[in-house]
Amino acid sequence: MRKRLIGGVVATAILIPVAAFAASGVIDMPTRTPMTTEQVKVDEVGKSTLEKLYLAYPETKSFEIIDASNVQGDVSKGKNVINVKQTSIVLQEKGGTGKKITLHTNGSTGEIEHVIQENWESKEKSLITLTDQEIKAKVNDLIDKMYGNVEQYKVAIEQMENPNQKTWMLNYTNEMFEEPVYQVFVQDNTISLTKIVGIPTAPDTPSNIKVEGLFSFNGKPDYTADNFLNDEKLFALLKISPTELKQELAKGKTVVEIAASKNVTKQQVIDVIAETQARGQLQGDGVAITENSLKEMMKAIEPKVLPVIEHKTETEW
């Protein structure tokens, strides 16, 4: 189980309630600061998180916020130190029983990194009584509603070797990334979903996603492309705003074609995106960013950038 778990995701997994987290090697954790319901609703990250949840699951508008907190500080993992900034919100159906959902959001990027659904199935037919295909369908629905476009990922499901409790692990992969984009654990009547790729984000990347749905895939926004193209340095290079880029892509142009119209070469576009992604990856892994490490990581990422900047959207938005 330990070998299959994704490493380097401390910032996304501060409160993951699964035994797997015990294997992450965290030896020092910053203290959480409680938040009131009123504080959550006026906090920029908290408010944004709730808006995304209500859009995905309108029924949660009637849920009560039963717990909320934020944490900021350095986390020690082995010899590495990772800075963590995270807001957590727990909501439950009124009455203190029934459906419950927990959201952990990156305070720097505004991205919801971890979602826990509890008791969304009846006790008579809980998650662990379902077939593999039924479990996969439940997880697919959660990903599609919270992040969109689940069709672009391949999913592998397996039952973990856990004699005390039935546990399934699902890894959602995309050929553009070496690591799974999502890793999910299902046990009892709980789905615990962590978004792996793209977090934590490097300091010089956008503070949050500027525009969603830059591309479409099967009639839905392609959030993989959003991760690459929502780059402040790319916008500056092309002398274009995020909204203008989306409008140009909707006309059927590629990023390469848009760049050419502004006398910017394909390689310049690749270098800008690859550097941002490389810095984020190195920082997320706790690796020192040196000239050599940056060059090596950029070289590895370049082939993944090409399909994005040469892609023509399938649907005009």
Side-chain angles (χ1 to χ4, degrees):
M1 182 173 179
R2 294 187 180 192
K3 292 180 180 178
R4 296 193 182 104
L5 294 174
I6 304 303
V9 291
V10 180
T12 74
I14 295 298
L15 293 180
I16 292 181
V18 293
F21 188 54
S24 65
V26 176
I27 61 174
D28 185 28
M29 304 284 278
T31 302
R32 285 193 162 269
T33 302
M35 300 175 69
T36 65
T37 298
E38 291 70 25
Q39 287 174 324
V40 171
K41 291 181 177 179
V42 298
D43 177 74
E44 184 177 346
V45 175
K47 186 165 59 175
S48 173
T49 300
L50 290 176
E51 287 174 352
K52 291 176 183 176
L53 173 64
Y54 295 157
L55 183 63
Y57 292 97
E59 65 186 285
T60 59
K61 291 180 181 180
S62 65
F63 285 22
E64 295 177 311
I65 296 176
I66 62 172
D67 190 22
S69 61
N70 58 34
V71 61
Q72 185 170 359
D74 293 334
V75 172
S76 297
K77 187 186 181 192
K79 296 181 180 180
N80 300 317
V81 177
I82 301 173
N83 184 262
V84 172
K85 187 177 180 183
Q86 186 186 76
T87 295
S88 300
I89 306 171
V90 184
L91 302 96
Q92 190 169 36
E93 284 183 310
K94 291 182 178 179
T97 59
K99 295 180 180 180
K100 183 178 178 181
I101 190 163
T102 302
L103 307 164
H104 300 307
T105 303
N106 187 308
S108 298
T109 66
E111 182 173 36
I112 298 175
E113 301 171 331
H114 184 218
V115 182
I116 308 170
Q117 269 191 350
E118 299 176 70
N119 303 323
W120 284 60
E121 302 300 319
S122 65
K123 293 182 179 179
E124 292 72 24
K125 194 175 182 181
S126 65
L127 286 167
I128 59 172
T129 67
L130 305 180
T131 65
D132 286 6
Q133 289 302 315
E134 289 173 324
I135 289 174
K136 190 186 300 183
K138 298 291 183 182
V139 176
N140 282 357
D141 183 68
L142 175 59
I143 293 175
D144 200 53
K145 286 182 177 176
M146 292 301 301
Y147 298 100
N149 215 13
V150 71
E151 297 93 344
Q152 66 178 302
Y153 305 109
K154 293 181 180 179
V155 57
I157 181 172
E158 61 177 303
Q159 187 172 344
M160 307 302 293
E161 296 177 5
N162 186 352
N164 299 319
Q165 191 176 45
K166 283 187 176 180
T167 303
W168 281 262
M169 180 176 72
L170 296 86
N171 283 318
Y172 286 75
T173 58
N174 183 296
E175 60 183 10
M176 292 178 62
F177 303 101
E178 295 179 4
E179 295 178 337
V181 177
Y182 305 100
Q183 188 169 73
V184 186
F185 289 92
V186 177
Q187 56 184 207
D188 287 337
N189 213 1
T190 300
I191 298 175
S192 180
L193 161 67
T194 300
K195 189 175 190 300
I196 304 296
V197 168
I199 47 180
T201 309
D204 58 350
T205 57
S207 58
N208 50 40
I209 295 296
K210 304 298 181 182
V211 174
E212 294 184 349
L214 290 168
F215 287 163
S216 61
F217 183 88
N218 289 341
K220 296 181 180 180
D222 184 344
Y223 294 111
T224 300
D226 287 349
N227 181 49
F228 276 71
L229 298 182
N230 275 280
D231 187 320
E232 294 285 9
K233 291 184 177 179
L234 176 64
F235 299 142
L237 177 68
L238 299 180
K239 294 182 175 62
I240 195 171
S241 71
T243 302
E244 289 171 337
L245 177 59
K246 181 175 180 177
Q247 291 171 345
E248 290 299 300
L249 290 170
K251 297 176 183 178
K253 298 179 182 179
T254 67
V255 175
V256 172
E257 290 171 342
I258 296 170
S261 69
K262 297 177 177 291
N263 296 317
V264 175
T265 68
K266 179 195 292 188
Q267 191 59 49
Q268 285 177 297
V269 173
I270 292 173
D271 290 344
V272 163
I273 297 174
E275 181 178 352
T276 297
Q277 295 294 321
R279 287 183 180 277
Q281 184 66 51
L282 290 170
Q283 185 184 34
D285 292 342
V287 177
I289 301 178
T290 64
E291 185 177 352
N292 287 335
S293 66
L294 186 60
K295 284 183 178 179
E296 289 179 6
M297 184 61 71
M298 286 177 63
K299 186 176 180 180
I301 290 174
E302 278 192 15
K304 303 171 186 177
V305 176
L306 278 171
V308 173
I309 64 175
E310 293 180 341
H311 177 71
K312 289 188 177 183
T313 190
E314 298 175 6
T315 306
E316 292 189 1
W317 284 77

